[in-house]
């Protein structure tokens, strides 16, 4: 593969691997401990949120958010949870797995994202208890307006920000608009811990329940004050008894100290990483502007565009096939536009009966694709991509 989706597992890979090897050789403990907490503190400060809760993956973070909301009584079985039709499986599957009803919202091809008018249109016929929105490939819609609608209608807003770490709007940073936002540190994302995920929130009760959900339903990772509260509520008389007391539904979603160490180490490169991706995208965008085969992607409402990839939306399926062939023959690794219209996925048709018209998501399903955008792209790589996109 001449230009892979991601060239290396880490930014500054050789340096990072050496540091990781030294850490493993000297660490007294590799199961979740102080390095994970240090990463949480550092990431919360970066994201400007009160809390950050580290998980073993972004998918686990998504499931944990919905489980925590159910445990807190904010959501219940049968509640209708809207989601962006163009998204990833782990944004949608937890809605089904936890006994709630998924409701798809369409997306706008020229922003890639669900917009406020899609939400308002659905609300004409469907009451919603929550919206689990996805910020797509570094882009986002008019999420501040969506937040206002959710606040006015008492709809819980949750963000899947796994693809948009670092994207900023005048109103704030993506991942901070709802009760919580998830992040992924899988290889090829903005920063890598190999596997790993995070939830950021400024809601104290939500953060507390996320830590319970993350670790089997017990209280080991809570503060002493929080532990006292839970133990008093259920008349737990001793530390010995508390060790194996489970207060609510949870999972083993705990990360390792390797995740915590790598997260801290990679954060020193994060600003450079985001800046280079934005620079790359704006360069490639200049070619798209001059080629009528493509939909131009709007981002004038975004102050900083932290692109996860180079997304392309062709105007017809035939044009997409033309460019897919060109990219493949040139050795450039490509992917569909995430999972396309989620309603077309086999699992969704198996478990969900109510389907909606999704012209925007259908267009991106049939006409979209992307290739990798990362700091290690060489000048020659960018020239290859530019030439492939020319009319």
């Amino acid at each position: 593969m001449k230009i892979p989706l991601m060239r290396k597992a880490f930014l500054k890979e050789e340096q990072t691997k050496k540091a990781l090897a030294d850490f493993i050789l000297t660490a007294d403990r590799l199961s979740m401990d102080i390095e994970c907490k240090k990463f949480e503190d550092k990431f919360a400060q970066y994201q400007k949120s009160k809390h950050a809760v580290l998980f073993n993956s972004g998918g686990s973070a998504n499931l944990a958010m919905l489980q925590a909301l159910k445990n807190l009584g904010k959501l219940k079985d049968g509640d209708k949870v809207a989601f962006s039709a163009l998204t990833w499986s782990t944004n949608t599957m937890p809605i089904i797995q936890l006994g709630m009803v998924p409701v798809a919202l369409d997306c706008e091809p020229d922003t890639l994202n669900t917009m406020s008018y899609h939400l308002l249109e659905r609300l004409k016929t469907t009451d919603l208890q929550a919206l689990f929105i996805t910020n797509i490939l570094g882009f986002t819609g008019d999420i501040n307006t969506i937040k206002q609608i959710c606040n006015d209608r008492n709809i819980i807003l949750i963000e899947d920000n796994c693809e948009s770490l670092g994207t900023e709007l005048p109103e704030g940073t993506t991942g901070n608009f709802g009760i919580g936002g998830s992040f992924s540190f899988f290889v090829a994302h903005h920063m890598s811990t190999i596997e790993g995920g995070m939830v950021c929130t400024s809601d104290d009760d939500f953060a507390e329940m996320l830590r319970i959900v993350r670790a089997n339903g017990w209280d080991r990772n809570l503060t002493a004050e929080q532990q006292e509260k839970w133990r008093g509520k259920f008349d737990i008389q001793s530390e010995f008894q508390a060790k194996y007391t489970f207060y609510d539904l949870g999972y083993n979603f705990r990360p390792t100290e390797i995740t915590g160490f790598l997260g801290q180490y990679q954060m020193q490169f994060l600003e450079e990483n985001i800046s280079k991706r934005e620079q790359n995208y704006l360069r490639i965008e200049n070619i798209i502007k001059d080629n009528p085969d493509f939909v131009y992607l709007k981002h004038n409402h975004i102050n900083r565009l932290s692109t996860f990839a180079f997304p392309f939306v062709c105007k017809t399926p035939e044009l997409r096939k033309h460019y897919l062939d060109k990219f493949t023959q040139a050795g450039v690794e490509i992917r569909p536009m995430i999972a396309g219209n989620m309603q077309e996925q086999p699992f969704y048709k198996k478990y969900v009966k109510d389907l909606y018209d999704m012209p925007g998501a259908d267009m991106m399903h049939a006409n979209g694709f992307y290739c990798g955008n990362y700091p290690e792209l060489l000048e020659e790589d960018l020239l290859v991509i530019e030439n492939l996109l020319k009319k």
Side-chain angles (χ1 to χ4, degrees):
M1 188 65 64
K2 184 176 180 182
I3 306 178
L5 201 66
M6 187 69 181
R7 189 155 273 139
K8 296 180 178 179
F10 309 107
L11 196 61
K12 316 284 188 186
E13 180 155 295
E14 185 176 353
Q15 176 183 336
T16 300
K17 285 183 173 180
K18 286 180 178 178
L20 176 60
D22 289 341
F23 169 72
I24 291 173
L25 287 170
T26 57
D28 294 326
R29 176 173 172 170
L30 292 177
S31 58
M32 186 176 73
D33 198 36
I34 58 172
E35 297 301 326
C36 292
K37 181 64 169 65
K38 289 177 183 177
F39 180 29
E40 289 177 334
D41 292 343
K42 195 168 187 175
F43 196 82
Q45 183 178 10
Y46 178 85
Q47 186 64 17
K48 297 182 176 64
S49 63
K50 190 172 181 181
H51 306 280
V53 183
L54 185 60
F55 290 86
N56 60 3
S57 75
S60 296
N62 283 344
L63 177 53
M65 285 199 292
L66 286 176
Q67 184 70 66
L69 290 169
K70 283 197 75 177
N71 289 359
L72 290 167
K74 295 179 181 293
L75 291 175
K76 62 184 185 304
D77 288 354
D79 278 353
K80 292 182 177 179
V81 179
F83 69 95
S84 311
L86 183 70
T87 186
W88 189 245
S89 62
T90 59
N91 175 278
T92 308
M93 287 181 177
I95 302 171
I96 299 168
Q97 290 162 328
L98 295 180
M100 294 174 280
V101 180
V103 177
L105 298 184
D106 203 8
C107 303
E108 184 58 52
D110 65 6
T111 67
L112 302 180
N113 278 271
T114 293
M115 306 296 289
S116 58
Y117 53 83
H118 295 123
L119 174 59
L120 290 171
E121 186 65 26
R122 184 68 70 244
L123 286 169
K124 290 178 182 178
T125 57
T126 308
D127 290 330
L128 299 172
Q129 284 69 54
L131 167 57
F132 198 172
I133 200 164
T134 304
N135 300 314
I136 303 295
L137 298 174
F139 290 75
T140 190
D142 55 345
I143 193 166
N144 195 54
T145 303
I146 289 171
K147 175 183 178 180
Q148 292 168 4
I149 294 168
C150 289
N151 287 344
D152 292 343
R153 307 287 186 101
N154 200 28
I155 298 167
I156 299 169
L157 177 62
I158 320 155
E159 285 178 86
D160 181 332
N161 202 53
C162 292
E163 298 177 353
S164 297
L165 168 59
T167 290
E168 294 180 0
L169 288 80
E171 302 85 2
T173 303
T174 56
N176 286 354
F177 285 86
I179 189 173
S182 61
F183 299 82
S184 173
F185 310 125
F186 180 63
V187 174
H189 285 230
H190 291 85
M191 53 177 280
S192 167
T193 61
I194 309 171
E195 291 278 4
M198 192 81 81
V199 174
C200 285
T201 180
S202 292
D203 186 294
D204 294 341
D205 292 338
F206 189 50
E208 179 181 3
M209 185 54 71
L210 284 167
R211 293 189 171 98
I212 291 173
V213 169
R214 175 180 64 182
N216 305 303
W218 61 30
D219 68 9
R220 292 192 193 182
N221 306 119
L222 302 184
T223 65
E225 182 181 2
Q226 290 169 336
Q227 289 175 338
E228 183 179 355
K229 177 187 72 174
W230 284 96
R231 293 172 189 183
K233 182 178 180 180
F234 292 97
D235 194 28
I236 305 304
Q237 296 292 325
S238 66
E239 181 70 28
F240 176 77
Q241 186 182 1
K243 290 293 185 187
Y244 285 174
T245 298
F246 306 96
Y247 298 99
D248 213 324
L249 298 181
Y251 309 87
N252 180 6
F253 286 160
R254 292 173 295 179
T256 69
E257 287 289 82
I258 292 172
T259 305
F261 173 82
L262 284 171
Q264 294 174 75
Y265 197 84
Q266 284 288 291
M267 281 196 71
Q268 67 183 303
F269 312 126
L270 183 55
E271 282 300 302
E272 174 189 351
N273 193 328
I274 291 170
S275 296
K276 185 61 176 175
R277 288 172 188 257
E278 182 177 41
Q279 180 184 331
N280 287 347
Y281 180 81
L282 295 176
R283 172 176 170 172
I284 295 300
E285 179 185 65
N286 286 325
I287 306 298
I288 296 295
K289 286 178 181 176
D290 294 331
N291 189 340
D293 292 347
F294 293 96
V295 174
Y296 174 73
L297 302 182
K298 298 176 182 176
H299 54 85
N300 57 346
H301 61 298
I302 296 174
N303 286 352
R304 181 168 72 163
L305 187 65
S306 181
T307 53
F308 177 83
F310 294 126
F312 308 115
V313 182
C314 301
K315 290 185 176 175
T316 68
E318 292 76 20
L319 283 170
R320 182 177 77 161
K321 183 180 184 309
H322 169 71
Y323 286 99
L324 292 185
D325 289 343
K326 287 180 71 175
F327 273 69
T328 301
Q329 290 165 11
V332 181
E333 191 171 6
I334 50 178
R335 290 288 187 274
M337 188 65 78
I338 323 183
N341 180 355
M342 190 58 69
Q343 294 185 137
E344 298 299 320
Q345 292 288 338
F347 84 89
Y348 199 87
K349 292 181 176 179
K350 178 178 179 181
Y351 292 104
V352 183
K353 63 178 182 178
D354 292 329
L355 305 179
Y356 300 88
D357 290 333
M358 296 282 138
D362 284 340
M363 179 181 178
M364 289 187 279
H365 190 106
N367 298 6
F369 71 101
Y370 71 82
C371 67
N373 175 18
Y374 43 89
E376 296 90 351
L377 285 172
L378 306 173
E379 172 66 19
E380 62 194 65
D381 298 328
L382 292 166
L383 287 172
V384 167
I385 294 170
E386 285 178 329
N387 287 329
L388 291 170
L389 293 168
K390 290 178 179 175
K391 179 71 173 172

